[in-house]
Amino acid sequence: MLSVPLWRGSVLVGSVSLLAPDAYLQRRAERLADTTMDTAAALSRHLDHTRAQRQTMPILLQAC
């Protein structure tokens, strides 16, 4: 498993994880890490943008 942090501003709110067989992760570690980190960064930016645009966050995000 490869897991990277998911941020909402300066608060850690979760992670983005990639599950795959160990041999697959080992052969493609750098590319998969970059892609997973890019995905987490995009989600974090979305959370920040959503927070700035709305007074009330969706129920799932309010707990974060």
Side-chain angles (χ1 to χ4, degrees), residues 8 46-47 50-52 54-62:
R8 182 171 158 207
H46 179 74
L47 288 174
T50 302
R51 182 176 167 190
R54 296 185 188 166
Q55 287 283 70
T56 308
M57 296 297 291
I59 277 286
L60 182 61
L61 297 176
Q62 286 180 3

Side-chain angles (χ1 to χ4, degrees), residues 10-32:
S10 61
V11 178
L12 179 64
V13 294
S15 66
V16 173
S17 299
L18 174 66
L19 296 172
D22 191 46
Y24 182 84
L25 290 174
Q26 298 265 341
R27 286 192 308 269
R28 297 164 179 87
E30 188 174 329
R31 184 172 59 92
L32 292 173

Side-chain angles (χ1 to χ4, degrees), residues 2 4 16 18 28-42:
L2 171 66
V4 297
V16 173
L18 174 66
R28 297 164 179 87
E30 188 174 329
R31 184 172 59 92
L32 292 173
D34 288 345
T35 302
T36 306
M37 290 175 68
D38 289 347
T39 300

